Amino acid sequence: MTDAYQRPIRSSQDSTTLRSRFGIVLVIVVWVLLLAVLIGLIAELQPLSLVRYAPIILLAAYLVWILMWSPSVTIAPSGVQVRNLLRTNLVSWPAIERVDTRFALTLYTKAGRIVAWSAPAPSRFAAYRTARSDVSRGLPESTFVAGAIRPGDIPQSDSGLAALYVRRYWEQLRDAGYLDSGRVEGTGVVTRWMLRESLILIGLLVLALAVLAFVPAN
């Protein structure tokens, strides 16, 4: 958060990818627990149990990664890429009309709104603990609504950090006249399914169901 908060973002800089910090921690905790279960199955020296439950453990590990680690927001010269579960939305800078953080980072475009799963707004308790006078300094002008900021705009939160990057980049392009001049390409939203991740998920699901059906429990 420090880099984005203390210095302006240049429109020529490399891309920056943000993920939910809580999600990453949660994935690591779940993976450690699943690894402990897998080691326990190996220690029992029961091959059938290992064959039966190992694919389920792998499926669970992959599912928690898809849900909590894989989602991300990437800010790049070409636009904002929002990755949710098995789908990626590529939003060009001219397509962005408004940025909101009421429940999560949300990009409003003519094609509809894009919600970033990786950038949820903080809870009321977390927002209450943050001193608003300290976080409001240096925020982009589009952050403020009637002179105030929402809890989701606090830079220490996932939604606020992502919104800070997006708003600063977008405002720099707007103020330089790039958005209306055509110097920044793209005017819409491109949605793509993540084929590789989808195939892996389907493969693990089929494998897990197959072993449950054909490998007997001890």
Side-chain angles (χ1 to χ4, degrees):
M1 189 276 290
T2 303
D3 290 341
Y5 191 52
Q6 294 183 345
R7 62 179 175 83
I9 298 172
R10 305 293 183 183
S11 59
S12 60
Q13 77 168 46
D14 295 334
S15 62
T16 300
T17 298
L18 304 174
R19 289 183 168 84
S20 170
R21 289 159 288 190
F22 171 77
I24 292 175
V25 173
L26 181 61
V27 169
I28 293 174
V29 171
V30 173
W31 279 0
V32 170
L33 294 176
L34 292 175
L35 180 61
V37 173
L38 184 62
I39 293 175
L41 290 175
I42 295 174
E44 288 181 359
L45 299 177
Q46 297 182 359
L48 282 180
S49 294
L50 182 61
V51 172
R52 180 178 174 84
Y53 296 111
I56 300 176
I57 293 174
L58 291 176
L59 175 61
Y62 191 70
L63 275 174
V64 73
W65 178 83
I66 284 288
L67 291 170
M68 304 302 298
W69 192 312
S70 175
S72 63
V73 177
T74 299
I75 300 91
S78 59
V80 181
Q81 175 179 289
V82 179
R83 176 171 170 147
N84 290 333
L85 298 182
L86 300 176
R87 189 168 63 175
T88 298
N89 295 289
L90 305 174
V91 186
S92 63
W93 290 111
I96 298 177
E97 298 178 338
R98 181 164 65 92
V99 179
D100 188 73
T101 59
R102 183 178 182 184
F103 301 109
L105 175 70
T106 304
L107 306 180
Y108 284 85
T109 72
K110 293 181 179 179
R113 62 189 184 116
I114 308 297
V115 180
W117 287 36
S118 62
S123 65
R124 291 181 178 271
F125 176 73
Y128 179 77
R129 292 187 306 168
T130 304
R132 300 294 181 86
S133 59
D134 294 335
V135 303
S136 61
R137 293 180 293 102
L139 292 178
E141 63 179 25
S142 57
T143 303
F144 298 90
V145 178
I149 63 172
R150 284 180 170 177
D153 289 319
I154 297 173
Q156 286 86 348
S157 65
D158 290 325
S159 60
L161 179 60
L164 174 61
Y165 271 93
V166 173
R167 284 175 173 143
R168 278 191 172 173
Y169 210 130
W170 184 84
E171 286 187 8
Q172 289 179 18
L173 293 174
R174 180 201 61 189
D175 295 343
Y178 290 168
L179 299 181
D180 298 327
S181 65
R183 294 181 63 179
V184 178
E185 296 182 356
T187 57
V189 179
V190 177
T191 300
R192 298 173 180 170
W193 290 96
M194 294 185 286
L195 181 60
R196 180 183 61 184
E197 288 80 359
S198 299
L199 291 176
I200 293 175
L201 180 60
I202 293 173
L204 289 174
L205 180 60
V206 171
L207 179 61
L209 292 176
V211 295
L212 285 176
F214 296 105
V215 177
N218 288 344

